[in-house]
Amino acid sequence: MPHAVVTGAAGGIGRAVAERFARAGCTLTVSDLDGAALQRVATDIDALAVPTDLTEANAPQDLIERAWEGGGAVDVLVNAAGLYPSLDMLDVTAETWDRLFALNLRAPVLATAAYGQRVTAAGATGAVVNISSGSALRSRPGGGPYATTKAALEMATRAAALEFGALGIRVNAISPGFVPVASDANPVSPVYAQALSANPLGRPGTPEDIAHAVHWLCTPEAAWITGEVLRVDGGSSTGAMHLPRIDGRFGHEERNPA
């Protein structure tokens, strides 16, 4: 029975991912900073709960070690924990910048490294999926620091995939579009939610939309995929839905005077 570790599993996308793997019959180790909420999820899906502050330097490796010891060899690592605060570039401080990067970038990189070490020592294979964001491609006012962490995470995903492929470990990322979730840590205003809901498929995403894609990337059906960023965003990355149509029609352009 495959064993999956999911961070940020107390709610939102992380919880949906954990539930998707549980429905597939996997053994689960789940982690989150919110220990009480995490325990409720763990009880619901019969998972091992490991409350963890992933901003602490040794926490990602400790999580992998506890998961390996408590649930056996780990086949899948999903790095879903993250923060998306509103923080203008003008207001960045060393403390806010470092904390954001510690959770959104350093933690998944360290967890992936620790996971890779255990997998190779065991002579096994595995899969890692990082949760990125459409912000990796384009920022927004108040979102520059967050966007920077996700752009770096996508490069870290490709770098790890390049080095881990020969070790039998695939490393990919999912880039969600706008997915509304109830979160005290990551609140989203109604105005912001409405602005991000426009896409070719006409609706915001759900945590389950992302969870299905994460699970698929970890199955044998995706066995020849590594180093990729799968954009699960309703098509929002294809273009700008909010821009007006140009009035002129092809073949009816005004000609410049001779």
Side-chain angles (χ1 to χ4, degrees), residues 11-81:
I13 290 173
R15 175 169 184 159
V17 170
E19 291 173 340
R20 179 65 184 86
F21 277 93
R23 289 196 301 273
C26 296
T27 299
L28 265 296
T29 298
V30 292
S31 176
D32 201 282
L33 181 62
D34 188 338
L38 180 68
Q39 187 57 58
R40 290 192 292 270
V41 173
T43 299
D44 289 343
I45 64 175
D46 191 23
L48 171 65
V50 183
T52 309
D53 182 355
L54 288 171
T55 64
E56 296 180 359
N58 295 326
Q61 181 172 356
D62 290 344
L63 170 61
I64 298 301
E65 295 298 326
R66 290 184 63 183
W68 209 280
E69 294 166 5
V74 178
D75 302 281
V76 171
L77 169 64
V78 181
N79 292 302

Side-chain angles (χ1 to χ4, degrees), residues 84-89 139-147:
Y84 44 95
S86 179
L87 177 63
D88 290 344
M89 295 297 286
S139 187
R140 58 172 173 78
Y146 171 75

